[in-house]
Amino acid sequence: MTTAAQPTQQQYAVGSLVHARGREWVVLPDSTPDLLVLRPLGGADDDIAGVLPGLERVVPATFAPPTPSDLGDQQAAGLLRTALRIGFRSGAGPFRSLASVSVDPRPYQLVPLLMALRQDTVRLLIADDVGIGKTVEAGLVAAELLAQGDARGLVVLCSPALAEQWRAELHSKFGVDARLVLPSTIGRLLRETPYGHSVFRPEGAYVVSTDFIKSPRHREDFLNNCPDLVIVDEAHSCVAETAIGASARTSQQRYSLLRALADRPDRHLLLVTATPHSGKEEPFRRLLGLLDERLATVSLDTEAGRRLLAEFFVQRRRADIREDFGDGAHFPSSRDTAECPYTLHHDYKKLLDEVLAYARETVRAADGALQQRQRWWSTLALLRTLSSSPAAAVQSLNTRAGVEEAASPEEADRTGERTVSDPADSEGAESADAVPGTRLPAAAETAEGPGPDDASGTTEGDEEKARLITMAEAARRLEGPTRDTKLKKLIATVTDLLDEGYRPIVFCRYIATADYIAKHLAKTLNKKGAEHPVAVASVTGELSPDQRVARIAELTGADEDGNPPAERRVLVATDCLSEGVNLQESFDAVVHYDLAWNPTRHEQREGRVDRFGQRTDVVKALTLYGADNPVDGIVLNVLLRKHERIRRVTGISVPVPQESESAMQAVFEGLILRGEKPAYEQEGLFPQEEAAAAEQLEIAWQSSAEREKRNRSRYAQHRIRKDEVAAEVAEIRAALGTGEEVRDFTRRALAALRGMPAPTKQGGFTVHTDALPRGLRDAISAALGPRHPRPIVFHDAPSAPRGEAALTRTDPVVTATARFVLDAALDDADKVPQEQRPARRCGVVRTKAVARPTTLLLVRHRFQLNLPTRKGGTVERLAEDARVVAFQGSATAPEWLPEDEALALLDARAAGNTDPKFAVRHIEEILAALHTVLMPALRLRSAELGKRLEDSHHRVRTASQARRQGLKVLPQGDPDVLGVYHYRPVASIIQGADA
């Protein structure tokens, strides 16, 4: 290190070049005369360093021109240009973050971002349908706030089951490296943190378990050090209306945490949920109140109230955004749904009738209101588990009822609704797949036989014990496809789906059912003589979030030897996977083995495969039900079919209203207490009392749907001019490298580096890594993992399965390839083997594409952006842009061509050979005029480009009604000439070889 101090300390502008520590650097914002914040020229943000000019020698620098002898072929210019642009992470356009995100946002996904640009402190509730990209929308807002300097750090609050997925999404799509803060990681994080300091830093990025951080032990430290940008996933679970018990405490602690975060007026808050309204008004208002306190009480029936809500709330249904997927994007065109009925085996039907009779007798014989409600819920649990599977029924008969501890009828109802039903405002399905118990104190201590303290039991108690034992034994005898026709129907259904090329997920209500059918599916589908093996796995709430991820990876990823996963595969899961988890890359069909008692749960299940990124054009959703099972009939008619009919008629999918609970109660009471078996295959044939309740439910449901339909246009934010902004985004993307350019570059570069690309049926290609240069091979292994599948599969899509690559500019494999190509081209030619340098900085090409000698220059511009902030000032940012310019004639008297003609030269094909000595002489002549003639024209181009970029910033901020005062785009220093490529017409016989 040089320690001699300089006599004076020069002020360097943002974007200027300096020489220090033996290399060239770019001066970044936040530099001062005493401390320069520098990034290596051509380097990444990871290489940023601080340099003290008072202690180290720092001098102004200029970018070295090309070496005339560094000649390449006709591909050299295009490869170098694309490699340069792929490496940009600080775009000069109005959306600063687009240079560092891998997603190519659809126009509708820009709407929340435009809403955010309008607000001083960003407060948004993003409530789009399941599967259309809420994570991407929230990520775009976060990335832009961070890129513009309006936010210093980021934290995502989510379920622990979704934490790893959020971390991976932030890293792969938005370039944000977040730390996981979970019970399993906090010990390590604390050990890595200096004593007396917090795990959290305001400028850090974190993905945090909401339930972990809400505890008193960690809450205050988190609130005191929380970053200024917070994303809350599945935000509806933080405001659920629960009166008492453990769930109530959990919900109240979650809400208290969010309320404390929202109370800081300058904190940005993004709430994300597909179900903001559970059908109950109070939780919805509490959610809105986190955005703006006025929303907690304002009347949403007034124009003023709806207008206020529209400032903070965006909600689009699939029909609203379908047009944005008309260009071959990976989004299913339709969802093929069907009901699959089966008839109960006579032994199964006999047991179900016996359970109904038992339920009727025990509820009627209850002593008092509390015991009646306890018995009601315990028998309803038995009915539901028996409708699910024999295994679930057996376990229920051997498990104490959750309502046993209730102290009042109301508490019994709340506990029963939570453990037996599927309430819309429950804290989620993640821990709700345990089998609810049937046994009460008056019943048997165990259905296997009397307990040690039961010798003095009454005759009545002994009779009930014997009855429960008999029912448990009868249920156990029903196991297997012979008597369990539901299981038999599932096996046939799954077989048909597999034969059609689908990869299904089978959703169950209970852990016992999932394990039961997974065992039988694996046995039956892989029986001796089966032509094609089928991989089957079960994922339930018994597994920790990390174990769930690992189980799915075992089923869908390559094995330890790098062999690809089984094409024929089935995932059996409980509703612990029905929310938030992305499964669209590996599965494309859903089978509802158990009917959910809430239509929203069906939507969530199907949303795991029917979502953005799904490559199958038509996904399937099949619903199994017992044609002679009255429990299934009630759920189908009162809830599921009505929900589907309203959705088809109005185009709106709305949560089931609060009246659903009373309607379901009424119909089940008719079935259990009075023995009425409704003709559920024909709607409207319920007895009068139950019919009235069902009718009131449908009226309330229809009214809610009509109200939502009226408000849809406002909350879909159709007034925002997304198409105008989408045009700006397209221009920015073109400046950074189009998808076609990235695909062509990756294939050509890897072919030149001996990767032997081979096309795939899906439109991508595969590449072998064995012959690639070691540096690139190591970078690819670091990106995909040492056990990644070989050859590497490149997908012509915005995303790729684990261990594979997507042909996007920010995919780590594509980025590594571009970095290698660019570094090899800029290094001294004698330091890198020639076969490892597919791009060169010079070239002379004989081509039929020109009639006169024409020269193409690859130029890198740097700009200082002065961007208005929400606090009224401006912030400085550095931006880079790569352009090609071309002129005809000699370098001393250039005739400049339009930009489109310059770009066309990149596709010029060689039509003749050029003598190397002749080529070097021509490049030398051009470089001799670089500073005297060409550079003044390039400076003028920089100024023109800066003005165009500034106008683009103004247009976007006008469309989003964001502030514009102080906005400037200023060129910084002379542009860098990275490449000089000379094109000459094909020589004629008269002209001679050296014409």
Side-chain angles (χ1 to χ4, degrees):
M1 177 182 291
T2 303
T3 58
Q6 294 176 238
T8 60
Q9 295 180 16
Q10 181 175 345
Q11 180 73 45
Y12 293 100
V14 172
S16 59
L17 298 183
V18 298
H19 183 89
R21 299 180 181 177
R23 63 188 305 181
E24 280 69 43
W25 305 76
V26 181
V27 178
L28 299 181
D30 300 326
S31 293
T32 67
D34 298 323
L35 174 64
L36 295 180
V37 182
L38 306 176
R39 186 185 67 208
L41 187 61
D45 288 346
D46 292 341
D47 304 319
I48 290 174
V51 174
L52 298 170
L55 299 177
E56 301 182 61
R57 180 175 175 78
V58 180
V59 296
T62 57
F63 187 72
T67 301
S69 60
D70 187 21
L71 297 171
D73 60 16
Q74 62 190 24
Q75 297 187 62
L79 287 175
L80 184 58
R81 171 177 177 260
T82 306
L84 174 66
R85 301 201 303 171
I86 287 174
F88 285 159
R89 291 296 178 267
S90 54
F95 294 110
R96 295 273 296 149
S97 60
L98 287 185
S100 59
V101 303
S102 65
V103 292
D104 191 1
R106 300 282 141 180
Y108 78 88
Q109 290 176 321
L110 298 171
V111 169
L113 176 56
L114 295 175
M115 294 173 66
L117 292 178
R118 296 177 176 181
Q119 301 177 347
D120 290 333
T121 300
V122 177
R123 297 285 173 99
L124 290 178
L125 173 52
I126 302 174
D128 290 340
D129 259 353
V130 173
I132 64 176
K134 293 183 295 300
T135 301
V136 169
E137 291 164 356
L140 286 171
V141 174
E144 191 64 23
L145 290 174
L146 292 169
Q148 291 192 7
D150 289 317
R152 296 173 59 201
L154 166 68
V155 63
V156 176
L157 295 175
C158 64
S159 154
L162 302 179
E164 175 56 36
Q165 180 173 296
W166 264 103
R167 188 207 61 78
E169 293 271 304
L170 289 174
H171 174 73
S172 64
K173 293 181 178 178
F174 303 103
V176 175
D177 289 319
R179 306 178 82 185
L180 288 177
V181 183
L182 306 167
S184 59
T185 66
I186 190 63
R188 173 178 54 80
L189 294 175
L190 288 171
R191 289 192 296 272
E192 295 172 353
T193 303
Y195 179 77
H197 290 71
S198 171
V199 166
F200 300 98
R201 293 179 292 109
E203 69 277 9
Y206 308 91
V207 177
V208 182
S209 163
T210 309
D211 284 340
F212 172 73
I213 212 64
K214 68 175 173 48
S215 68
R217 181 179 178 184
H218 304 286
R219 182 179 185 272
E220 291 308 313
D221 175 54
F222 174 66
L223 290 174
N224 291 334
N225 297 281
C226 179
D228 52 2
L229 171 56
V230 177
I231 298 174
V232 183
D233 192 27
E234 305 295 349
H236 63 279
S237 67
C238 299
V239 294
E241 184 184 61
T242 312
I244 61 171
S247 295
R249 289 192 297 273
T250 296
S251 179
Q252 290 161 4
Q253 288 176 335
R254 290 174 181 169
Y255 177 72
S256 175
L257 176 68
L258 263 60
R259 183 69 267 173
L261 289 169
D263 284 343
R264 185 176 133 178
D266 61 343
R267 175 168 281 124
H268 306 297
L269 185 62
L270 303 177
L271 306 179
V272 180
T273 174
T275 53
H277 203 306
S278 67
K280 298 179 179 180
E281 188 69 9
E282 182 184 347
F284 180 56
R285 290 306 189 115
R286 294 171 74 190
L287 193 64
L288 295 180
L290 296 171
L291 306 173
D292 189 300
E293 291 184 358
R294 294 171 294 174
L295 291 172
T297 56
V298 69
S299 173
L300 299 181
D301 293 328
T302 65
E303 177 66 19
R306 291 191 292 269
R307 190 182 302 115
L308 177 64
L309 177 57
E311 295 178 19
F312 304 91
F313 183 54
V314 57
Q315 183 177 44
R316 277 80 56 87
R317 305 302 186 187
R318 289 170 180 269
D320 298 320
I321 55 90
R322 184 68 67 180
E323 64 184 28
D324 285 351
F325 287 93
D327 58 353
H330 293 298
F331 194 82
S333 63
S334 64
R335 185 190 305 176
D336 185 4
T337 63
E339 293 179 355
C340 303
Y342 62 90
T343 302
L344 294 171
H345 186 276
H346 60 85
D347 289 344
Y348 215 125
K349 187 69 167 62
K350 180 180 177 181
L351 179 58
L352 181 60
D353 290 340
E354 184 178 343
V355 168
L356 278 168
Y358 167 78
R360 190 173 308 117
E361 293 170 17
T362 55
V363 174
R364 284 176 176 174
D367 183 13
L370 173 59
Q371 190 180 71
Q372 185 185 56
R373 299 314 296 166
Q374 289 173 327
R375 292 188 175 189
W376 164 264
W377 286 110
S378 68
T379 55
L380 197 59
L382 179 55
L383 280 170
R384 189 168 190 190
T385 55
L386 182 58
S387 296
S388 176
S389 70
V394 170
Q395 187 170 336
S396 180
L397 285 162
N398 286 282
T399 304
R400 285 187 177 277
V403 294
E404 178 183 343
E405 303 298 328
S408 67
E410 293 76 19
E411 184 181 348
D413 284 343
R414 284 190 292 267
T415 302
E417 288 171 7
R418 190 179 69 253
T419 58
V420 180
S421 300
D422 300 326
D425 63 346
S426 67
E427 58 184 271
E430 189 177 323
S431 59
D433 53 4
V435 170
T438 297
R439 294 191 295 115
L440 289 167
E445 281 300 308
T446 171
E448 300 293 345
D453 300 325
D454 291 339
S456 59
T458 64
T459 303
E460 180 181 350
D462 291 339
E463 291 176 357
E464 187 167 350
K465 292 175 188 177
R467 196 169 184 182
L468 291 176
I469 293 172
T470 301
M471 286 192 288
E473 292 174 347
R476 190 175 287 107
R477 287 194 297 270
L478 296 174
E479 293 184 3
T482 301
R483 292 184 175 86
D484 187 356
T485 52
K486 182 182 182 182
L487 175 62
K488 182 178 181 180
K489 180 68 174 180
L490 175 69
I491 293 171
T493 301
V494 167
T495 300
D496 290 343
L497 287 171
L498 292 171
D499 290 344
E500 293 173 24
Y502 283 94
R503 297 160 298 174
I505 306 173
V506 182
F507 276 107
C508 312
R509 179 63 173 81
Y510 302 117
I511 297 170
T513 300
D515 293 341
Y516 163 74
I517 65 173
K519 179 183 71 173
H520 283 281
L521 281 174
K523 178 180 178 181
T524 305
L525 297 176
N526 294 294
K527 60 185 178 182
K528 189 175 181 180
E531 186 175 355
H532 302 288
V534 179
V536 180
S538 172
V539 174
T540 69
E542 278 190 329
L543 302 177
S544 69
D546 290 342
Q547 289 172 326
R548 296 174 205 172
V549 171
R551 181 72 59 85
I552 295 171
E554 289 174 6
L555 180 64
T556 63
D559 62 20
E560 294 183 355
D561 298 324
N563 298 315
E567 279 298 316
R568 292 167 66 87
R569 54 180 177 263
V570 181
L571 175 62
V572 181
T574 62
D575 286 313
C576 71
L577 291 186
S578 70
E579 289 188 89
V581 182
N582 294 332
L583 299 170
Q584 72 275 18
E585 293 177 352
S586 303
F587 301 94
D588 48 17
V590 163
V591 179
H592 301 286
Y593 188 74
D594 290 334
L595 302 180
W597 288 14
N598 186 334
T600 301
R601 189 63 53 78
H602 276 234
E603 289 280 341
Q604 291 168 337
R605 291 172 174 179
E606 294 168 13
R608 296 311 99 217
V609 300
D610 187 4
R611 62 194 299 114
F612 182 61
Q614 175 59 257
R615 291 176 173 79
T616 301
D617 186 52
V618 178
V619 297
K620 283 200 171 187
L622 307 179
T623 302
L624 271 60
Y625 74 95
D628 52 352
N629 183 339
V631 176
D632 284 358
I634 290 172
V635 176
L636 273 174
N637 268 353
V638 177
L639 294 179
L640 300 181
R641 287 174 177 163
K642 280 185 172 62
H643 176 267
E644 179 64 15
R645 183 170 64 245
I646 291 172
R647 187 188 66 81
R648 293 189 181 219
V649 171
T650 64
I652 298 292
S653 179
V654 296
V656 59
Q658 194 165 352
E659 290 84 350
S660 67
E661 295 173 10
S662 58
M664 289 283 285
Q665 284 276 349
V667 179
F668 273 121
E669 285 175 6
L671 173 67
I672 295 175
L673 299 183
R674 293 185 290 279
E676 296 156 344
K677 297 183 180 180
Y680 39 81
E681 290 292 343
Q682 304 175 47
E683 297 191 27
L685 295 184
F686 294 118
Q688 184 174 359
E689 182 180 346
E690 295 86 83
E695 183 179 352
Q696 289 300 315
L697 168 62
E698 184 162 10
I699 292 172
W701 214 338
Q702 187 74 35
S703 174
S704 178
E706 293 296 337
R707 182 172 61 253
E708 287 288 326
K709 188 175 182 180
R710 289 193 301 270
N711 292 332
R712 183 173 70 179
S713 179
R714 182 186 302 275
Y715 301 140
Q717 304 291 345
H718 289 315
R719 294 181 181 179
I720 290 180
R721 292 176 287 180
K722 64 176 184 179
D723 293 334
E724 293 181 18
V725 177
E728 302 289 344
V729 171
E731 185 173 341
I732 296 169
R733 279 297 195 192
L736 295 171
T738 65
E740 184 177 352
E741 286 180 63
V742 172
R743 290 189 292 272
D744 184 65
F745 163 81
T746 308
R747 183 179 57 79
R748 288 176 180 271
L750 290 173
L753 294 169
R754 303 179 181 179
M756 298 181 294
T760 62
K761 295 179 180 179
Q762 292 76 25
F765 53 84
T766 60
V767 167
H768 293 270
T769 60
D770 295 340
L772 293 177
R774 181 170 181 176
L776 178 56
R777 209 165 56 237
D778 292 344
I780 290 174
S781 292
L784 299 182
R787 296 179 177 177
H788 64 81
R790 293 173 174 80
I792 300 173
V793 179
F794 287 81
H795 293 272
D796 186 9
S799 59
R802 189 182 299 106
E804 300 177 1
L807 289 168
T808 61
R809 64 184 306 278
T810 55
D811 181 272
V813 178
V814 175
T815 300
T817 304
R819 181 73 180 270
F820 183 89
V821 170
L822 180 62
D823 289 348
L826 297 181
D827 280 344
D828 292 340
D830 56 353
K831 293 183 178 180
V832 183
Q834 296 303 299
E835 67 273 10
Q836 295 184 13
R837 302 181 70 238
R840 306 292 176 89
R841 296 186 65 187
C842 299
V844 176
V845 180
R846 293 276 186 186
T847 178
K848 295 178 180 179
V850 298
R852 297 175 58 195
T854 304
T855 301
L856 180 78
L857 304 178
L858 174 58
V859 181
R860 175 171 56 196
H861 304 270
R862 276 182 295 278
F863 299 95
Q864 176 181 314
L865 306 185
N866 294 337
L867 301 175
T869 67
R870 288 171 164 80
K871 297 180 180 179
T874 59
V875 62
E876 290 184 357
R877 288 291 179 263
L878 173 68
E880 294 178 316
D881 200 304
R883 301 286 167 137
V884 293
V885 295
F887 61 85
Q888 289 182 335
S890 70
T892 56
E895 301 172 25
W896 295 97
L897 298 177
E899 187 175 12
D900 58 341
E901 293 184 28
L903 289 170
L905 290 172
L906 295 172
D907 296 324
R909 294 290 177 262
N913 298 323
T914 301
D915 180 78
K917 294 181 180 179
F918 174 78
V920 169
R921 187 169 70 248
H922 271 292
I923 297 296
E924 289 174 339
E925 292 173 356
I926 296 168
L927 291 176
L930 178 60
H931 294 290
T932 57
V933 179
L934 300 179
M935 189 56 71
L938 295 179
R939 294 190 193 108
L940 182 61
R941 295 291 179 111
S942 280
E944 293 172 350
L945 179 57
K947 182 62 171 64
R948 284 165 51 191
L949 292 168
E950 188 173 310
D951 290 342
S952 179
H953 279 267
H954 276 283
R955 285 192 297 272
V956 168
R957 288 174 177 265
T958 299
S960 63
Q961 301 177 5
R963 58 175 51 88
R964 303 185 295 277
Q965 186 175 1
L967 173 63
K968 291 290 183 183
V969 180
L970 305 172
Q972 292 299 300
D974 287 345
D976 302 329
V977 177
L978 279 84
V980 178
Y981 307 94
H982 187 62
Y983 300 84
R984 301 188 65 82
V986 176
S988 65
I989 297 177
I990 297 176
Q991 290 175 316
D994 291 338

